[in-house]
Amino acid sequence: MPVPSTKTLFRNVSILDSTGALPYPGDVLVDNDRIASVGTVDPDSARGARVIEGRGRTLMSGLCDAHTHFSWNNSADLDGLGTMPVEEHLLFCLESARTYIESGYTMCLGAASAKERLDVVCRDAINAGRFPGPRYLANGPEIAVTGGALIKSITKFADGPEGMRKAVRELIDLGVDQIKLSMTGEEITGTQRAEDTYFSDEEVHAAVTEAHRRGKRVCAHARSAESVKMCVRNGLDIVYHASFTDAEGFDMLEEAKDWVFVAPGINWLVATLYEAEAFGFPQAAAEAVGYKKELDQAIKGLKEMHRRGVRILPGGDYGFAWTPHGTYARDLEHFVQLLDFTPMEAILSATALGGEIMLRPDELGKVQPGYLADLLLVDGDPLADITVLQKHDKLDYIMKDGQFFKEQAEPAV
Ligand SMILES: [Zn+2]
């Protein structure tokens, strides 16, 4: 087998570097797994490099999904997540991982796994180079209290502070990178209301303290106003949804903005409201149980958080029948269309903030010297049309760790 070149030169690309600067023309040199130089490349240092002619295409960081479920299986049968045999389920998860990177996602933060070890096994297999996929922070089954599960068949139940400590310890023992608490309801279940809060402060405090003691973070399904405040009060790291955040909650999130992340999973609300009819959940039914009200409130609240500088990241709950894997970049369009992010802000949320939530802000999420070479060469300008990132055939090259996952057959010149 020929020894592959360890250097790649992207020549004449439009560099969207995720520092906030406007794109500018130049070259980018990758040496092994890292970006060596950006803008002007010393010809000596590029000697022997494989050359990709950019012809003005956009070179940018790979994207981040802050709320990933490899194990959500594109079905409308929520309980099926529990009953799917583990062998088929693992294969499905590996396919999800490949779909993420095919979609330009090189960073994913696991937001719960339908069975105990699906996430950690996938993470380890990706890291060992056995299967393609994004960089992944693995989760375990979500923890809920008795009577507070969204989907019983995929839940790890725990009650009281001692129960929380034990559950967290067991999940850490499995090898998870973070813990998920399912703190509130969700209307689609038919029984659990989004504005119900099932956890007590003591339980959240115990779970967070125990996870932090072991250097792990905690994320939470938190739709109600009270749950968001409970998260912040107890130092919980990543708040998912946050739809019904109230004025006091905004103040608390703003105060905590240096350490807390919010990932609304906004596409879940949009698609559940408007696009689930073919799967037995028509818009009228979704409105009747409150999804329109929740979406309206979430949009208002997220704009307010954005105004206050709270870190809001795209991603969330892809892997249901009406939010299928591979459509992840719809979130970025919603950030622009619904939340009034500029396209640049949406891209920074999905890249630079991705590096932050992956806990590697100095080496992930930017096109900068020394950063890991997780790069997309996009045939289009995402600042002019954010939806180009949804079009897989416009993602001409996808690189992770300096290795091409996808290469475009270039026309002969
Ligand atoms: Zn989720």
Side-chain angles (χ1 to χ4, degrees):
M1 240 172 70
V3 178
S5 164
T6 58
K7 291 183 182 178
T8 303
L9 178 66
F10 292 94
R11 191 151 60 194
N12 183 24
V13 288
S14 176
I15 303 168
L16 176 47
D17 66 10
S18 290
T19 64
L22 286 173
Y24 60 98
D27 304 336
V28 171
L29 179 67
V30 173
D31 188 353
N32 285 309
D33 60 340
R34 301 262 168 187
I35 298 167
S37 36
V38 177
T40 308
V41 172
D42 167 22
D44 277 346
S45 67
R47 191 158 296 136
R50 175 181 171 192
V51 177
I52 307 294
E53 294 294 349
R55 301 193 308 277
R57 284 174 288 183
T58 302
L59 190 78
M60 62 182 288
S61 163
L63 304 170
C64 177
D65 185 293
H67 180 144
T68 296
H69 299 291
F70 283 167
S71 55
W72 279 195
N73 60 2
N74 283 345
S75 168
D77 169 21
L78 305 190
D79 263 320
L81 288 171
T83 54
M84 187 178 196
V86 70
E87 296 85 354
E88 281 84 354
H89 216 155
L90 177 60
L91 290 174
F92 188 92
C93 291
L94 292 167
E95 287 167 354
S96 301
R98 186 177 61 210
T99 303
Y100 265 102
I101 194 162
E102 269 170 6
S103 309
Y105 283 73
T106 55
M107 303 176 265
C108 288
L109 192 136
S113 166
K115 297 188 175 72
E116 280 197 334
R117 297 180 66 242
L118 289 173
D119 257 27
V120 296
V121 166
C122 287
R123 175 201 60 202
D124 293 349
I126 294 166
N127 287 346
R130 297 168 71 186
F131 293 91
R135 298 178 191 283
Y136 194 56
L137 295 178
N139 214 318
E142 55 192 22
I143 299 175
V145 300
T146 300
L150 299 177
I151 306 171
K152 280 185 183 168
S153 59
I154 60 167
T155 297
K156 184 175 181 68
F157 286 96
D159 291 290
E162 207 45 55
M164 290 297 153
R165 274 190 279 274
K166 185 167 192 295
V168 168
R169 286 171 183 168
E170 286 170 352
L171 291 173
I172 292 174
D173 194 41
L174 289 178
V176 303
D177 295 299
Q178 61 274 336
I179 303 289
K180 168 84 173 286
L181 307 182
S182 185
M183 291 171 59
T184 72
E186 169 82 49
E187 309 293 347
I188 201 167
T189 60
T191 52
Q192 318 290 115
R193 311 301 309 266
E195 293 189 75
D196 289 344
T197 306
Y198 302 116
F199 273 62
S200 69
D201 260 305
E202 292 72 23
E203 288 167 330
V204 178
H205 179 76
V208 171
T209 306
E210 194 57 33
H212 286 181
R213 189 203 310 282
R214 299 287 303 277
K216 308 298 180 190
R217 287 182 295 174
V218 182
C219 58
H221 175 95
R223 295 196 180 276
S224 71
E226 179 53 26
S227 66
V228 172
K229 291 186 278 195
M230 205 177 259
C231 288
V232 181
R233 263 201 305 272
N234 292 293
L236 185 145
D237 308 272
I238 301 162
V239 181
Y240 290 137
H241 310 303
S243 305
F244 293 102
T245 308
D246 63 14
E248 190 187 5
F250 294 135
D251 288 344
M252 292 170 70
L253 285 168
E254 183 177 6
E255 180 93 354
K257 66 185 176 187
D258 290 339
W259 58 263
V260 79
F261 295 93
V262 173
I266 194 76
N267 183 64
W268 162 259
L269 289 180
V270 174
T272 301
L273 180 57
Y274 297 118
E275 295 164 25
E277 174 151 19
F279 309 99
F281 200 54
Q283 187 180 336
E287 282 195 32
V289 297
Y291 276 102
K292 177 80 167 71
K293 176 184 157 209
E294 179 169 352
L295 178 62
D296 290 346
Q297 184 113 356
I299 288 171
K300 244 196 269 169
L302 290 161
K303 284 182 182 174
E304 179 64 16
M305 289 177 216
H306 183 46
R307 197 181 66 71
R308 292 169 178 242
V310 176
R311 293 178 293 182
I312 304 172
L313 280 81
D317 278 325
Y318 289 89
F320 293 104
W322 53 95
T323 60
H325 284 286
T327 61
Y328 318 113
R330 288 195 65 187
D331 257 70
L332 298 188
E333 182 183 358
H334 296 322
F335 271 41
V336 173
Q337 298 295 339
L338 301 178
L339 307 184
D340 293 343
F341 278 53
T342 65
M344 178 65 94
E345 287 171 334
I347 287 167
L348 292 174
S349 290
T351 56
L353 287 188
E356 292 184 23
I357 204 168
M358 295 297 284
L359 299 176
R360 300 170 80 175
D362 299 324
E363 51 180 4
L364 291 178
K366 293 181 186 174
V367 185
Q368 290 283 282
Y371 275 62
L372 286 158
D374 292 3
L375 298 168
L376 310 178
L377 187 65
V378 182
D379 183 12
D381 175 5
L383 293 180
D385 176 13
I386 194 77
T387 68
V388 72
L389 296 171
Q390 296 173 42
K391 297 168 186 154
H392 295 184
D393 62 345
K394 298 290 187 186
L395 307 177
D396 286 350
Y397 290 81
I398 300 172
M399 174 181 265
K400 189 186 119 193
D401 261 332
Q403 307 271 338
F404 284 111
F405 167 75
K406 178 183 179 187
E407 303 180 41
Q408 182 82 354
E410 293 293 336
V413 183

